[in-house]
Amino acid sequence: MSTAGEQDADLSLQEEHESKTHRTKRRDGDRQKKKRRNERRKGGTRAGEGEEDLQAVSEKRERSKRKRAKSKQETSRRENNEEEEAQLTGVREVDENVDKGKKKQGSTKKGEKKEDGGKQLVKEKARDIKKKNSEPETSEEDDDEEEDNDKDVVRPECLSPEELEKLKEAVDERKKLIQSLRGKPWPMKKKLVTLRESQEFVEKYEGALGKGKGRKLYAYKVLMTKKWMKFQRDFENFKTACIPWEMKIKEIESHFGSSVASYFIFLRWMYGINMILFGLTFGLVMVPEALMGRPYGSMPRKTVPRAEEASAMDFAVLWDFGGYAQYSVLFYGYYNNQRTVGWLKFRMPLSYFLVGVGTVAYSYMVVIRTMARNANESGVGDDNSFNFSWKMFTSWDYLIGNAETADNKFASITTSFKEAILEEQESHKDDNIHLTRFLRVLANFLVLCCLAGSGYLIYFVVRRSQKFALDGLENHTWWERNEVNMVMSLLGMFCPMLFDVISTLENYHPRVALQWQLGRIFALFLGNLYTFIIALMDEINLKRKEEKVVKFNITMWEASLYNGTVLENSTAPPVTIHPADVPRGPCWETMVGQEFVRLIISDTMTTYITLLIGDFLRAVLVRFLNYCWCWDLEAGFPSYSEFDVSGNVLGLIFNQGMIWMGSFYAPCLPALNVIRLHVSMYLQCWAVMCCNVPQERVFKASGSNNFYMAMLLVILFLSTLPAIYTIVSIPPSFDCGPFSGKNRMFDVIHETLESDFPPWFSKVFSYASNPGLVLPFILLMVLAIYYLQSTSKSYREANVELKKKLQMQNEENKRKNKRAALKAQMDLEEARKTAQEQQRNNNASVQDQEGESFDFKY
Amino acid sequence: FCGLLLTTAKYNLKLKTSTWELRRVNFRKSRSQNISAHKRFTELLEKHEKEQIDARVPIGRIITLPELKSNPFKERICQVFSTSEQKDGSLTFEDFLDLLSAFSDSATLEIKSHYAFRIFDFDDDGTLDCADLEKLVNCLTGETNDAKLSSTEMKQLISNILEESDIDKDGTVNLSEFQHVISRSPDFVSSFKIVL
């Protein structure tokens, strides 16, 4: 009984509260209220039962009144307000059982109260006063209000425009509330309740807006938007469900912190890009040629030559991508130069060219877009005015869920604190600056020596391999055949270690040291790649010379063939020669493609093998030899390996560079890369989890993301350069590939324009490509770039200026506050002094009195 | 009284069927995430509690979750998100969801900084004073004794922090000052994250 009474009390209390703060929105709620009337009636009977507890009720009301008054005083203090609201929700929870509808309005209003608290505050006050007068007969007033409600019920058709406007506003407000709900630090229950109410309200009244025909349309529109939203949400969910390896990465994240995980996220991103490149080359180049092009063996370029036929299926040959692999869709040379293939009239050469260009263009677009997004995200964060506070408040990585990593994190945070304090204490401590300088110069000199040496070594090896190739590869050992790739991979493996050793000389701060290390490895890889390309260019020139000789020989051969047939029988049909026997030129494009594929394969193999030996075997040895060894292997010298984020990222980037460079001549490269990335995702995840230990210094990943992207962009640019150079300036081979017979590869565009488009189009195009038009256009672009750059510079300057101003103001504020604080302190002290004096006086008087009293006593 | 009981039961039933839908829709956590959260949560419950909708998991069992186990603020996190009246840090499923959504990817900087502030505010008085900061430093440097900062270092550190972020010079860092500092940090949002 008593509980029911209390509930009712709450109920009416709420009603009262509502009517007070919610008069503006009264009309909105009216219909709802009417609907609920029957329910209310029931409640009313129970209220009658609860009459006995009226005393308690009024007490409660009184309390709530006081509370409200208090809240009014301190609306600026959000905390209190919230607390109270939380209490209110607590009350309301019981309420829900009795009447769900009632609660609705109550807490929607609560949300609104928050939104425009100031505005309603005044009204509330006024009403409060009014209420005070009518305090004793609240129940009566409740009834009155109900009467009011009945009168107020209006159909939306007969609402005046102002009221409609109001209704619209209310609906919009609630919509806004729904949207901003997620951004509010409330507990879930409150959010849920508020949301449900607001949604119901919006649902109810949104359809009612508008008139007649328009109303129906409006309702329909609302319905459609709702459906669309739901679809979008589902789609979003679907998308998140489709992201691969989420759990794996999360696990790594929790073990090793965000920096190691950033490598895997980067790997996944790369995998996505390669998937798209693979889709392009596979769908538009390889499949059409395989399905609709001429079959294998129909022409010389699609047949294994007679001399190689015996060994064409050997594993060693296939592993080197010779034999049947070389004469397949995997390489440039296999493609035919017929303009259209199959019944679809698929423009094969054009498609080949456009896909080559498209992959590069797509990669540029993606990389630049990602960079721009990253730059936007980390726009502010370069000022170090909050050095200590950031260390304090943001240094813990909440993703860490592994005790060992947590220990490392503790240690690194402690050292960073200590370092910062030390730096603060003695900002510039120079212990023998000459020695460190000398050591740094020495280190750089050593690194340069290493770079030069590795460059020379590669050049030397490539030259030697050309000699071997001229001799014929069969006479040489496996090592001599694969020397180039092996040397490159080994250099890529050992030079970074050497750099690491050298960098200990330099005594840099670890973060700076990491950047130096990255820069050096970058230079090494780049040097190696470019030496490789230069050597390849030499080889291309050699092949082209060879090609000239072969071409001459072929004409001779054909002539002799022709002469032979003519001599025997002039009317006989021309002899059919098996395509395998036809002499052919060295297809330099296929050679380039093969080189790149071999490089990728050997690179992949070395990566996997180093992973297995360097990480796994080491971990196994350390683990099991530790039981019978003279020192502690786990803590001492070999220990377990750490995951080398920067080295792995660089490896990935250079691998991608090779893909971009080689994929024009070997359409299979993206496919190979997809496989490689897929395997290395699993292998590296496994290796990291099973045999690496977390880094001693756990770096944060956020700063380095764009650094990696910038490197990727540089590599993309550098790797498209040689590809574009070969496409534009070297004539294609005469008897292989989709562009054979043409003077240059890009002639295919010209050809398409002439034969596939109406004549006016090619005319327009030729006018447009006229230097008189192109040059001004380029000039315009340069000017635009200049203009944009200068504006961005001025913006940046303005930004710096503003920042300075802000800082100045901040400092001024600080100073002012300090002064105010000092003054307040002085005032306080003075007051205290006076108070003390007074007290002393008082004391004195009291003592006097006491003395007197004593006197009196004794 | 019987009527009341009946309505309560009805309400619970309704809640059971509707909240799933609502939560899934409203808080942008995908259904699968939500279900996995629920699974993880019910694993923490004891058998007889599994049927109750508002069962509470005590703090001792919450902090055994591997995601929280090595977090130095685990007790604080539980206490901040707990709606329990005894202030014992026990969590209902809704509190648990609150926790996850505050630490999720989609939570805004404002929410995250709000909860971070409450987590760092060890004595729940609405400001970070020297005692709070000292406790915070001790949490961050771990339990081992050799890693601890000396008292002079601690003093220096705290005074530096107050120098930087205490804008109104009242000797404490309040919420708005804290949010001001945090909003400029480059990697707060990415590291203030817990994924189940």
Side-chain angles (χ1 to χ4, degrees):
Chain A
M1 263 294 264
S2 77
T3 43
E6 254 177 40
Q7 276 157 24
D8 247 24
D10 286 331
L11 209 143
S12 55
L13 165 81
Q14 219 177 321
E15 189 66 19
E16 175 194 316
H17 201 82
E18 258 165 41
S19 62
K20 269 195 279 176
T21 51
H22 211 53
R23 195 150 286 175
T24 46
K25 309 268 156 47
R26 168 80 57 80
R27 203 147 281 154
D28 315 339
D30 282 337
R31 289 173 113 210
Q32 229 169 335
K33 270 186 186 165
K34 194 184 180 189
K35 241 188 182 176
R36 275 186 278 115
R37 263 201 100 187
N38 293 335
E39 270 176 322
R40 183 92 65 77
R41 285 269 175 264
K42 270 182 223 160
T45 54
R46 233 184 284 155
E49 283 171 16
E51 205 98 12
E52 296 158 14
D53 297 286
L54 205 69
Q55 192 62 33
V57 172
S58 62
E59 252 181 47
K60 230 185 169 143
R61 231 170 255 163
E62 203 58 49
R63 221 185 304 148
S64 75
K65 191 131 278 168
R66 252 177 280 140
K67 217 187 278 166
R68 234 173 284 136
K70 210 172 89 192
S71 83
K72 231 181 289 155
Q73 281 170 5
E74 304 176 346
T75 19
S76 56
R77 280 203 148 185
R78 211 162 136 203
E79 311 270 323
N80 270 4
N81 221 351
E82 254 176 41
E83 216 176 278
E84 196 197 24
E85 269 170 21
Q87 278 172 13
L88 276 175
T89 16
V91 169
R92 218 154 270 135
E93 266 169 45
V94 194
D95 232 302
E96 277 170 334
N97 302 333
V98 186
D99 185 354
K100 252 183 111 192
K102 195 132 285 173
K103 166 210 67 188
K104 249 160 232 168
Q105 276 210 336
S107 49
T108 336
K109 172 206 63 210
K110 200 176 35 184
E112 268 158 23
K113 194 172 130 202
K114 213 154 206 181
E115 299 257 87
D116 42 14
K119 211 166 66 187
Q120 292 195 354
L121 206 74
V122 188
K123 283 175 195 167
E124 200 179 335
K125 223 177 215 166
R127 245 161 250 148
D128 234 350
I129 294 161
K130 190 177 139 201
K131 200 100 231 185
K132 232 167 224 167
N133 300 337
S134 58
E135 168 82 25
E137 59 275 355
T138 356
S139 51
E140 273 177 35
E141 213 203 65
D142 265 1
D143 284 351
D144 282 353
E145 265 176 27
E146 276 185 34
E147 298 297 321
D148 273 1
N149 293 345
D150 280 2
K151 274 179 220 154
D152 273 354
V153 169
V154 217
R155 304 191 67 84
E157 286 92 350
C158 19
L159 279 174
S160 70
E162 292 157 43
E163 285 164 333
L164 254 178
E165 208 49 41
K166 258 184 204 165
L167 195 60
K168 227 174 211 170
E169 243 169 57
V171 167
D172 279 347
E173 221 160 80
R174 256 161 236 237
K175 267 187 186 167
K176 228 183 266 167
L177 180 69
I178 291 174
Q179 270 171 1
S180 62
L181 197 64
R182 254 166 22 94
K184 297 211 158 92
W186 298 346
M188 181 77 71
K189 199 160 226 158
K190 200 167 129 197
K191 273 185 185 173
L192 269 180
V193 168
T194 317
L195 183 100
R196 216 174 308 161
E197 285 152 11
S198 312
Q199 266 182 348
E200 249 164 60
F201 180 85
V202 169
E203 245 165 67
K204 198 156 190 157
Y205 289 104
E206 214 165 30
L209 291 172
K211 277 178 195 166
K213 228 166 133 192
R215 201 165 90 205
K216 241 181 204 167
L217 194 74
Y218 188 75
Y220 179 72
K221 225 162 77 183
V222 169
L223 193 77
M224 281 328 280
T225 38
K226 222 187 282 167
K227 282 257 163 72
W228 172 242
M229 292 259 282
K230 191 176 178 319
F231 172 75
Q232 265 180 329
R233 205 163 268 155
D234 283 348
F235 188 68
E236 203 90 333
N237 285 350
F238 176 71
K239 260 197 338 205
T240 47
C242 280
I243 295 174
W245 302 308
E246 194 68 24
M247 287 317 286
K248 264 185 189 310
I249 289 176
K250 184 238 132 189
E251 203 178 339
I252 287 169
E253 217 164 31
S254 75
H255 271 81
F256 294 91
S258 52
S259 75
V260 173
S262 81
Y263 165 72
F264 285 95
I265 291 169
F266 188 64
L267 180 62
R268 187 174 63 185
W269 183 80
M270 212 69 127
Y271 183 79
I273 287 186
N274 275 291
M275 269 315 243
I276 287 173
L277 296 190
F278 165 70
L280 278 176
T281 50
F282 190 74
L284 293 177
V285 174
M286 285 162 84
V287 167
E289 177 70 25
L291 288 184
M292 301 188 287
R294 290 200 187 170
Y296 173 83
S298 57
M299 48 197 307
R301 72 182 67 176
K302 297 194 176 198
T303 333
V304 177
R306 193 65 79 196
E308 294 170 25
E309 223 163 37
S311 65
M313 212 44 204
D314 293 356
F315 180 74
V317 176
L318 286 181
W319 183 251
D320 267 353
F321 284 86
Y324 283 110
Q326 186 183 344
Y327 297 95
S328 70
V329 279
L330 302 183
F331 290 103
Y332 172 93
Y334 181 80
Y335 293 83
N336 194 6
N337 65 343
Q338 66 195 111
R339 238 170 61 73
T340 58
V341 294
W343 52 273
L344 278 176
K345 302 279 177 213
F346 191 77
R347 281 5 179 216
M348 193 61 223
L350 182 72
S351 158
Y352 196 99
F353 187 79
L354 287 185
V355 163
V357 173
T359 49
V360 171
Y362 170 76
S363 313
Y364 267 112
M365 203 184 72
V366 166
V367 171
I368 287 177
R369 212 177 52 192
T370 314
M371 270 184 87
R373 205 169 50 219
N374 282 351
N376 270 349
E377 269 170 17
S378 59
V380 282
D382 48 330
D383 60 339
N384 48 3
S385 54
F386 296 116
N387 191 9
F388 280 96
S389 306
W390 284 348
K391 276 210 174 75
M392 185 87 145
F393 297 137
T394 71
S395 56
W396 185 258
D397 194 344
Y398 287 76
L399 286 164
I400 292 174
N402 176 275
E404 219 174 319
T405 323
D407 284 343
N408 284 350
K409 190 78 193 172
F410 285 138
S412 77
I413 288 174
T414 313
T415 42
S416 81
F417 275 149
K418 281 184 177 164
E419 270 174 15
I421 290 170
L422 233 94
E423 265 175 41
E424 188 73 15
Q425 274 173 354
E426 33 193 318
S427 45
H428 288 295
K429 195 183 78 178
D430 41 355
D431 48 349
N432 205 351
I433 198 152
H434 293 295
L435 182 67
T436 37
R437 248 183 220 162
F438 170 72
L439 281 178
R440 279 173 193 181
V441 171
L442 181 72
N444 276 322
F445 177 72
L446 286 177
V447 168
L448 274 183
C449 284
C450 277
L451 289 179
S454 74
Y456 179 73
L457 189 61
I458 288 179
Y459 193 74
F460 173 76
V461 170
V462 170
R463 268 299 162 82
R464 214 159 74 126
S465 77
Q466 283 165 7
K467 220 183 287 163
F468 293 149
L470 281 184
D471 293 351
L473 279 176
E474 291 73 31
N475 313 329
H476 296 281
T477 57
W478 179 84
W479 169 258
E480 281 170 338
R481 267 182 283 143
N482 294 293
E483 211 174 31
V484 184
N485 306 328
M486 292 311 288
V487 164
M488 275 185 73
S489 305
L490 287 179
L491 277 177
M493 207 166 79
F494 286 110
C495 275
M497 291 184 198
L498 209 62
F499 292 159
D500 214 13
V501 172
I502 290 171
S503 72
T504 53
L505 281 179
E506 292 178 312
N507 196 20
Y508 276 124
H509 184 271
R511 192 162 296 157
V512 184
L514 184 77
Q515 277 167 4
W516 274 96
Q517 172 83 350
L518 275 179
R520 279 165 191 165
I521 299 175
F522 192 74
L524 172 82
F525 280 6
L526 206 64
N528 293 358
L529 206 63
Y530 259 70
T531 340
F532 176 72
I533 287 165
I534 289 168
L536 217 59
M537 285 289 178
D538 282 352
E539 208 163 337
I540 288 176
N541 287 337
L542 271 180
K543 288 261 165 162
R544 286 188 51 221
K545 264 179 216 153
E546 197 185 320
E547 192 182 282
K548 260 181 207 159
V549 178
V550 169
K551 210 171 177 180
F552 179 72
N553 282 349
I554 285 178
T555 45
M556 293 289 288
W557 176 76
E558 271 175 351
S560 72
L561 208 67
Y562 183 70
N563 285 344
T565 49
V566 162
L567 277 180
E568 276 171 23
N569 190 351
S570 54
T571 54
V575 228
T576 50
I577 301 163
H578 193 268
D581 295 324
V582 177
R584 59 188 81 175
C587 193
W588 63 264
E589 290 97 337
T590 300
M591 186 270 297
V592 171
Q594 269 176 312
E595 285 296 329
F596 275 109
V597 170
R598 279 183 207 143
L599 203 63
I600 293 284
I601 294 279
S602 77
D603 191 47
T604 312
M605 286 298 132
T606 33
T607 319
Y608 292 164
I609 288 168
T610 40
L611 200 77
L612 284 181
I613 293 178
D615 287 358
F616 182 62
L617 214 63
R618 182 167 153 190
V620 167
L621 284 182
V622 167
R623 182 67 189 268
F624 291 107
L625 279 184
N626 202 24
Y627 297 119
C628 48
W629 204 260
C630 22
W631 69 82
D632 189 4
L633 284 173
E634 282 183 344
F637 160 60
S639 131
Y640 297 105
S641 54
E642 283 177 1
F643 187 77
D644 173 22
V645 178
S646 55
N648 275 305
V649 167
L650 276 181
L652 206 61
I653 287 175
F654 272 86
N655 176 53
Q656 194 58 38
M658 283 191 270
I659 301 294
W660 278 322
M661 232 185 280
S663 63
F664 189 76
Y665 297 117
C668 62
L669 266 183
L672 275 180
N673 203 31
V674 165
I675 297 171
R676 174 210 156 110
L677 291 180
H678 199 98
V679 173
S680 70
M681 187 84 201
Y682 284 100
L683 199 66
Q684 281 189 311
C685 274
W686 165 78
V688 161
M689 291 307 279
C690 106
C691 40
N692 282 11
V693 287
Q695 287 161 311
E696 259 174 54
R697 285 189 162 260
V698 186
F699 284 112
K700 288 215 178 119
S702 64
S704 44
N705 261 346
N706 239 3
F707 186 61
Y708 295 151
M709 279 293 155
M711 270 201 275
L712 193 66
L713 188 67
V714 170
I715 283 295
L716 177 55
F717 177 70
L718 289 177
S719 60
T720 45
L721 268 190
I724 287 178
Y725 172 77
T726 50
I727 289 171
V728 171
S729 66
I730 301 178
S733 304
F734 73 99
D735 66 341
C736 70
F739 311 114
S740 57
K742 293 194 180 57
N743 196 22
R744 290 281 186 271
M745 292 181 193
F746 56 81
D747 282 349
V748 71
I749 300 244
H750 190 67
E751 188 193 75
T752 312
L753 276 179
E754 262 185 0
S755 49
D756 286 344
F757 284 92
W760 61 266
F761 193 84
S762 68
K763 219 175 204 172
V764 167
F765 195 78
S766 72
Y767 281 134
S769 61
N770 175 16
L773 256 173
V774 169
L775 276 183
F777 187 68
I778 290 176
L779 208 71
L780 198 75
M781 289 232 290
V782 169
L783 282 180
I785 288 173
Y786 176 74
Y787 171 73
L788 287 179
Q789 208 232 348
S790 58
T791 46
S792 81
K793 205 171 156 189
S794 68
Y795 279 143
R796 211 176 301 138
E797 269 167 16
N799 230 350
V800 170
E801 200 78 355
L802 279 178
K803 216 177 243 174
K804 241 186 230 164
K805 233 180 230 170
L806 258 182
Q807 263 173 359
M808 290 248 287
Q809 209 151 22
N810 236 353
E811 268 163 34
E812 193 134 308
N813 273 351
K814 269 187 191 175
R815 225 173 290 141
K816 227 185 251 168
N817 283 332
K818 226 176 208 170
R819 228 178 286 140
L822 269 178
K823 207 179 160 200
Q825 211 173 1
M826 284 205 342
D827 283 352
L828 200 76
E829 228 146 77
E830 233 164 68
R832 205 175 287 155
K833 251 181 213 165
T834 50
Q836 271 176 353
E837 265 171 33
Q838 252 177 16
Q839 209 167 8
R840 213 175 293 143
N841 288 345
N842 281 355
N843 278 356
S845 61
V846 167
Q847 265 176 7
D848 284 354
Q849 276 179 7
E850 273 181 0
E852 274 170 28
S853 67
F854 278 130
D855 281 349
F856 188 75
K857 243 180 188 173
Y858 297 98
Chain B
F1 194 66
C2 276
L4 173 66
L5 264 181
L6 223 142
T7 40
T8 323
K10 258 186 196 164
Y11 169 62
N12 275 348
L13 241 173
K14 233 178 204 168
L15 192 79
K16 255 183 193 169
T17 48
S18 66
T19 36
W20 275 115
E21 193 65 22
L22 273 162
R23 264 172 221 155
R24 176 170 68 91
V25 170
N26 299 328
F27 300 104
R28 277 272 188 92
K29 305 200 102 232
S30 66
R31 191 199 187 96
S32 60
Q33 266 174 319
N34 240 335
I35 287 173
S36 83
H38 189 249
K39 222 163 84 191
R40 295 295 298 276
F41 189 75
T42 43
E43 275 166 20
L44 293 171
L45 286 170
E46 276 168 19
K47 219 168 217 162
H48 61 91
E49 290 170 336
K50 275 184 189 166
E51 294 308 308
Q52 291 171 283
I53 186 128
D54 51 355
R56 291 188 168 274
V57 176
I59 186 166
R61 249 179 291 157
I62 287 280
I63 59 176
T64 54
L65 276 175
E67 283 80 11
L68 284 174
K69 206 172 55 200
S70 43
N71 196 319
F73 304 112
K74 51 193 173 203
E75 285 95 0
R76 280 301 304 163
I77 291 176
C78 290
Q79 259 151 25
V80 163
F81 286 97
S82 166
T83 52
S84 147
E85 272 133 46
Q86 286 103 43
K87 304 267 176 219
D88 56 354
S90 57
L91 299 184
T92 62
F93 180 55
E94 286 191 348
D95 301 339
F96 191 60
L97 274 186
D98 263 347
L99 192 157
L100 289 182
S101 74
F103 279 102
S104 76
D105 260 330
S106 53
T108 59
L109 176 73
E110 201 197 327
I111 290 187
K112 287 191 180 222
S113 55
H114 175 92
Y115 280 113
F117 183 79
R118 285 180 57 190
I119 288 169
F120 295 156
D121 182 15
F122 285 86
D123 49 10
D124 284 322
D125 63 349
T127 56
L128 299 181
D129 49 23
C130 288
D132 286 329
L133 290 177
E134 196 174 325
K135 262 188 196 162
L136 176 56
V137 175
N138 280 338
C139 270
L140 283 175
T141 50
E143 284 89 36
T144 47
N145 265 332
D146 56 319
K148 262 199 178 134
L149 299 175
S150 65
S151 61
T152 51
E153 280 174 325
M154 182 74 83
K155 237 179 236 165
Q156 173 97 30
L157 187 65
I158 288 173
S159 73
N160 276 332
I161 286 167
L162 287 179
E163 178 73 27
E164 277 173 6
S165 43
D166 182 18
I167 294 165
D168 59 2
K169 296 291 164 209
D170 60 348
T172 59
V173 181
N174 59 31
L175 179 63
S176 60
E177 286 164 353
F178 181 77
Q179 283 182 332
H180 174 72
V181 171
I182 290 287
S183 64
R184 271 109 187 283
S185 162
D187 39 27
F188 172 71
V189 174
S190 63
S191 65
F192 196 76
K193 228 175 13 178
I194 291 177
V195 195
L196 265 198

